[in-house]
Amino acid sequence: MIDSQTLIDAEKLVLSQAMDGTQAFADLRDKGISRQTFSLPAHQQIWTALETVAGTGGTVDALTVIARLEAQGQLDAVGGHAGVVETATYGALARYKTAAALEMVTEAAKKHALLAFASRMAEAAGDQLKSAEEALDEAERGMSALRDRCGVRQTETIRGAVGAIIENLQWRMNNPGAIKGISSGYRRLDLTLDGLQPGAMIVLAARPGVGKNRRPGQHPHQHLP
């Protein structure tokens, strides 16, 4: 587990970046950072204030966060003006560490969520009013939700995989010889790859000395101009 003080410092660094008055807050939010990402209640409150300020179209910085927390009567709970300013300026001399801090914070949040899930499942397993089947169903639903929250790709079920295969075979039968992707202009390559697919990176490679730079019909030892 990450040392608690190290994690708190990492959270302050992330919040410091979020309060720099630029697009940083929106970028962090797009990466999945939320109130639940932070372990310290004061940090959770600051992030919620950031979300509120951003929702009104205001500049997300220490001043607007202080004003929002003060209006809600929550400023003292986060250390007052000095607490917010100290957090906002925390990364001024250590901005280069933000990426590592973000990774540390998100990893810790995932593990915390996993521990909380395990605790709930232990309680469900020990609940005499629930059957084993009910506990297992709850565990499956909880794990699915946890995977979604943590951005982990879901495991493919046999039912889903078979359905996709049948759908693909039906398409092949209805479109003989056709490809689903974009044609590369090379028939054999298209049949192998099913055309160029969105999001796919294709690397053409070969061992040295086999003529990768040759034109069709060119002698192996004839160099290109």
Side-chain angles (χ1 to χ4, degrees):
M1 295 293 291
I2 301 173
D3 177 73
S4 58
Q5 186 57 52
T6 302
L7 179 58
I8 290 172
D9 291 344
E11 290 183 1
K12 289 168 66 175
L13 192 55
V14 172
L15 288 172
S16 175
Q17 183 183 17
M19 283 190 283
D20 69 357
T22 66
Q23 181 69 18
F25 169 76
D27 293 340
L28 289 169
R29 185 175 53 187
D30 290 343
K31 291 179 180 178
I33 302 299
S34 67
R35 177 187 175 93
Q36 289 72 30
T37 303
F38 301 93
S39 61
L40 205 65
H43 293 170
Q44 294 176 352
Q45 289 179 307
I46 290 175
W47 183 266
T48 299
L50 288 167
E51 290 182 325
T52 304
V53 172
T56 62
T59 301
V60 183
D61 57 20
L63 184 62
T64 55
V65 169
I66 289 172
R68 173 57 57 180
L69 290 170
E70 192 170 31
Q72 296 176 334
Q74 298 176 337
L75 187 57
D76 289 342
V78 300
H81 290 74
V84 176
V85 171
E86 192 270 338
T87 300
T89 57
Y90 188 80
L93 300 178
R95 184 70 66 185
Y96 65 94
K97 296 181 180 179
T98 302
L102 180 60
E103 182 178 354
M104 185 182 300
V105 169
T106 53
E107 181 69 12
K110 290 177 183 179
K111 289 186 176 181
H112 178 75
L114 183 58
L115 287 173
F117 169 75
S119 178
R120 292 195 305 272
M121 292 307 97
E123 292 179 2
D127 190 343
Q128 299 300 318
L129 299 179
K130 287 184 179 179
S131 67
E133 184 176 351
E134 289 174 332
L136 285 171
D137 287 341
E138 184 178 342
E140 289 178 354
R141 292 194 301 271
M143 181 57 72
S144 178
L146 184 60
R147 285 179 175 274
D148 289 340
R149 175 180 169 184
C150 294
V152 178
R153 184 177 179 180
Q154 292 283 3
T155 302
E156 183 68 52
T157 63
I158 293 178
R159 179 182 299 178
V162 170
I165 292 173
I166 293 176
E167 181 181 349
N168 184 57
L169 290 175
Q170 289 177 337
W171 188 90
R172 300 292 178 195
M173 293 173 63
N174 296 330
N175 303 274
I179 59 174
K180 287 188 175 181
I182 300 174
S183 175
S184 66
Y186 297 91
R187 181 61 179 169
R188 292 180 61 185
L189 181 61
D190 287 341
L191 292 176
T192 301
L193 301 177
D194 199 19
L196 304 179
Q197 303 295 326
M201 182 178 71
I202 300 173
V203 179
L204 300 179
R207 64 181 178 82
V210 297
K212 294 187 293 296
N213 294 329
R214 281 191 291 135
R215 296 193 183 106
Q218 182 184 3
H219 189 276
H221 300 293
Q222 178 183 354
H223 297 289
L224 292 174

